[in-house]
Amino acid sequence: MNEQQRLQSQQVNSSDKKSDQDYSKYFEKVYQPPSLKDAKKRGKEEIQVHRDFEIPEEFLGMGTGKKFYIRTYGCQMNEHDTEVMAGIFMGLGYEPTFTVEDADVVLLNTCAIRENAENKVFGEIGHLKPLKMKNPDLLIGVCGCMSQEESVVNKIMKTHQFVDMVFGTHNIHRLPNILREAMFSKATVVEVWSKEGDVIENLPKVRRGDIKAWVNIMYGCDKFCTYCIVPYTRGKERSRRPEDIIQEVRHLAAQGYKEITLLGQNVNAYGKDFEDMKYGLGDLMDEIRKIDIPRIRFTTSHPRDFDDRLIEILAKGGNLVEHIHLPVQSGSTEVLKMMARKYTREQYLELVRKIKEAIPGVTLTTDIIVGFPNETEEQFEETLSLYREVGYDSAYTFIYSPREGTPAAKMEDNVPMAVKKERLQRLNALVNELSAEKNKAYEGQIVEVLVEGESKNNPDVLAGYTRKNKLVNFKAPKSTIGQLVQVKIIAAKTWTLDGELLEKPIEVK
Ligand code: 5AD
Ligand code: SF4
């Protein structure tokens, strides 16, 4: 089909779509909507590792002279998926652009964790419509977590028919095929699989910087916390083989990266799906800490699976940093039960005690949800008291947002929104108070900072993070960017620290 025919078919298609209510027949689908029931029945399905990913020869050069733009919403997992998609685009010959007006393909890599994340994406899809009207050759795609939701796919088909592609989190490696189909298809191309199970290696990646890098160690989540959409959008837990992870980290070290963050929705479940060996996150960290790279982090932890072996390895220090993000969600055992977190307040506090004992000076941060259905004032106050007792350095705090298809969304809720908002404010006041207190204690101390670049607000000032993930602003020559330096803290703010550069940069082999 030539460009002229394509344009005609698109025009015919868009008017056709409008006149018909049964929009489903207008999308070319490889679509199995996620089902809560099926997801919960997950068993020991075989996980296949594909090591042979390559962009098929027929697609090479497909993007020559064209530009792509990807807007990313949500977590680090999504950010990293964007790096993979950018790698595939570049492999196809596309070039990146930083403005949508310039782009031949625009992808929205979406997040489904809370309703406001979804609303933002729908707003953005609406903004793209005039661009598509002006340039019918522009391809618009929606991918990421929202495209794994049946209701979202239906809404796009019904009210945003100018979207050319919808593809899911398990279909990223199919991007070349999806793009080609979208170029030639009359209809919106929908490729969403609810049946996952594979791990694809050798995907190309264009990383966002050359100082810090993300490395996936596992995909999916089998925890099924009752409020959470992730087990449905990201599929079942499946771990990458240690040898593949270690090879990737070694390669990044050789390239000069200074900090690696190991990624997974529930990294403490790493290795549980291996049938041929007993191997967990502690074992993996024990191997990775021997690689010559200054800093290793991991996120996100689930307290239930955080075992003694991991604590024992983290206590060895070295390049394993003394900061752990340990989402608690609530300080009340009853609420934790309704959330199906599978630990009690006491068990969480005991874990914190063990971690603090093994790793002196460890910094803890957390995630908290307020206003879970029927949360009482007393239960909320238990969250406040737990926050103080643990002494977190900071927290991400959220008002509970019902997600269609999750068990919590079916619970009746007697907590008015005004009460939830007020609880969030009270919690945030405590978070700020403790954060300011913790930062104040840094005044006069000398910390190691990995210099990342100019500070956001002042190009004459550089910014970087400590091992414990504190943001430090200080004056230093630009040549220190990418280096580890010693900084003396002179003033603490609520969220950041101001410092003075000391001596010369620490040598990094
Ligand atoms: N409503 C509010 N917050 C949520 N989170 C996950 N699901 C929801 C929801 N439905 C929060 C949790 C999680 C973080 C990534 O997002 O605190 O740890
Ligand atoms: Fe969601 Fe995290 Fe619970 Fe998994 S462990 S269901 S990703 S909150």
Side-chain angles (χ1 to χ4, degrees):
M1 190 192 282
N2 63 29
E3 280 301 290
Q4 184 63 31
Q5 286 167 323
R6 191 167 96 72
L7 203 64
Q8 279 169 358
S9 80
Q10 274 184 340
Q11 282 159 354
V12 168
N13 183 46
S14 62
S15 60
D16 264 11
K17 278 182 188 172
K18 274 191 205 96
S19 63
D20 201 313
Q21 290 307 303
D22 179 15
Y23 45 82
S24 64
K25 68 183 182 193
Y26 286 108
F27 55 94
E28 292 181 354
K29 57 179 180 172
V30 188
Y31 182 50
Q32 300 148 320
S35 140
L36 180 76
K37 245 176 44 211
D38 292 351
K40 276 265 186 189
K41 276 192 266 167
R42 267 173 213 165
K44 282 250 169 213
E45 298 89 347
E46 204 197 333
I47 291 160
Q48 286 182 1
V49 181
H50 302 269
R51 291 216 163 68
D52 49 357
F53 179 83
E54 244 179 70
I55 296 178
E57 214 169 311
E58 57 191 295
F59 297 126
L60 296 176
M62 179 171 135
T64 309
K66 293 186 180 154
K67 292 186 178 151
F68 72 94
Y69 175 98
I70 310 176
R71 180 160 294 171
T72 315
Y73 300 81
C75 66
Q76 290 155 328
M77 192 71 74
N78 262 19
E79 298 266 2
H80 189 46
D81 283 351
T82 290
E83 293 181 336
V84 172
M85 290 190 287
I88 297 177
F89 271 118
M90 304 283 273
L92 293 169
Y94 284 86
E95 276 175 52
T97 172
F98 300 98
T99 51
V100 276
E101 288 77 14
D102 239 19
D104 299 278
V105 185
V106 174
L107 288 187
L108 303 182
N109 189 7
T110 63
C111 169
I113 200 108
R114 284 171 291 274
E115 198 182 354
N116 55 2
E118 292 203 3
N119 291 344
K120 268 195 240 161
V121 170
F122 276 111
E124 187 56 30
I125 298 176
H127 288 144
L128 291 173
K129 189 171 182 178
L131 272 184
K132 177 77 180 179
M133 294 295 128
K134 245 198 326 205
N135 172 17
D137 281 344
L138 169 68
L139 292 182
I140 296 176
V142 176
C143 58
C145 287
M146 277 171 69
S147 35
Q148 293 289 144
E149 293 177 277
E150 188 175 13
S151 60
V152 168
V153 178
N154 286 340
K155 185 166 166 186
I156 291 173
M157 300 318 304
K158 209 173 193 167
T159 53
H160 300 84
Q161 294 162 359
F162 57 92
V163 170
D164 301 279
M165 309 166 267
V166 179
F167 59 98
T169 53
H170 313 308
N171 310 76
I172 286 176
H173 63 288
R174 298 261 313 151
L175 182 58
N177 314 62
I178 296 167
L179 279 169
R180 228 251 302 259
E181 261 183 67
M183 277 177 191
F184 294 110
S185 164
K186 295 200 285 182
T188 304
V189 175
V190 177
E191 190 164 315
V192 181
W193 299 336
S194 74
K195 258 206 113 32
E196 72 293 335
D198 291 357
V199 172
I200 317 245
E201 293 295 343
N202 298 331
L203 287 167
K205 284 161 202 143
V206 177
R207 297 189 192 265
R208 222 177 35 170
D210 50 13
I211 303 171
K212 302 208 283 193
W214 290 305
V215 172
N216 275 128
I217 63 167
M218 60 182 304
Y219 305 96
C221 180
D222 284 351
K223 273 283 172 284
F224 293 98
C225 302
T226 54
Y227 52 81
C228 189
I229 192 86
V230 169
Y232 315 104
T233 62
R234 288 277 169 180
K236 74 170 190 223
E237 279 172 3
R238 54 222 191 272
S239 306
R240 287 180 71 195
R241 300 295 301 185
E243 58 274 19
D244 292 323
I245 299 168
I246 290 162
Q247 192 192 33
E248 187 173 346
V249 177
R250 282 215 179 104
H251 187 60
L252 290 164
Q255 287 178 292
Y257 280 89
K258 303 289 191 304
E259 183 175 308
I260 301 293
T261 303
L262 305 175
L263 287 182
Q265 308 293 348
N266 170 16
V267 287
N268 302 85
Y270 176 76
K272 281 192 166 178
D273 51 314
F274 293 152
E275 283 181 358
D276 57 337
M277 60 176 175
K278 215 171 150 339
Y279 190 95
L281 184 61
D283 303 304
L284 181 68
M285 297 298 277
D286 198 24
E287 296 203 51
I288 288 183
R289 76 187 178 84
K290 294 171 194 149
I291 300 175
D292 192 7
I293 203 151
R295 291 180 181 180
I296 310 283
R297 304 180 186 281
F298 58 91
T299 197
T300 283
S301 282
H302 191 295
R304 158 93 180 194
D305 295 328
F306 208 111
D307 57 24
D308 292 350
R309 166 92 175 128
L310 178 60
I311 299 177
E312 171 198 321
I313 300 299
L314 294 179
K316 295 187 180 181
N319 57 5
L320 308 181
V321 299
E322 42 292 310
H323 164 228
I324 299 170
H325 186 66
L326 195 60
V328 67
Q329 313 299 358
S330 168
S332 148
T333 296
E334 290 99 18
V335 174
L336 289 169
K337 194 162 185 206
M338 288 195 297
M339 289 176 163
R341 291 289 288 179
K342 303 186 180 79
Y343 53 84
T344 62
R345 175 189 175 97
E346 289 68 32
Q347 284 165 334
Y348 183 92
L349 287 172
E350 171 57 14
L351 174 62
V352 166
R353 192 198 58 74
K354 280 201 271 184
I355 291 173
K356 284 183 176 174
E357 187 180 81
I359 313 167
V362 69
T363 283
L364 296 171
T365 54
T366 198
D367 292 348
I368 295 174
I369 298 175
V370 300
F372 189 78
N374 308 313
E375 181 192 56
T376 65
E377 171 61 24
E378 291 71 32
Q379 289 167 341
F380 169 67
E381 282 172 16
E382 286 190 80
T383 297
L384 295 179
S385 73
L386 178 126
Y387 196 90
R388 243 182 228 289
E389 192 167 339
V390 174
Y392 297 104
D393 268 53
S394 69
Y396 295 104
T397 57
F398 312 101
I399 291 184
Y400 165 72
S401 168
R403 307 283 59 221
E404 196 181 320
T406 61
K410 294 184 200 87
M411 296 176 189
E412 265 188 45
D413 186 3
N414 62 12
V415 189
M417 186 44 92
V419 173
K420 295 182 194 229
K421 285 188 176 161
E422 188 249 358
R423 284 181 191 166
L424 183 70
Q425 275 178 7
R426 282 160 65 200
L427 176 60
N428 285 345
L430 176 60
V431 170
N432 292 349
E433 180 197 318
L434 255 69
S435 180
E437 222 172 77
K438 299 262 170 192
N439 280 359
K440 192 85 189 148
Y442 274 93
E443 287 182 355
Q445 281 192 29
I446 295 168
V447 290
E448 177 203 276
V449 177
L450 174 56
V451 192
E452 289 193 16
E454 292 171 6
S455 116
K456 260 194 200 146
N457 306 322
N458 183 353
D460 294 334
V461 171
L462 298 185
Y465 286 87
T466 67
R467 286 170 64 91
K468 296 183 184 179
N469 227 18
K470 294 276 177 196
L471 181 58
V472 184
N473 293 307
F474 56 100
K475 287 213 166 120
K478 299 257 151 73
S479 58
T480 58
I481 294 176
Q483 302 291 320
L484 290 160
V485 297
Q486 303 267 42
V487 176
K488 181 166 184 185
I489 303 305
I490 48 173
K493 312 254 171 78
T494 305
W495 297 112
T496 61
L497 301 168
D498 287 346
E500 266 170 11
L501 181 70
L502 287 186
E503 54 180 272
K504 57 181 184 2
I506 300 169
E507 275 300 306
V508 178
K509 280 170 268 162

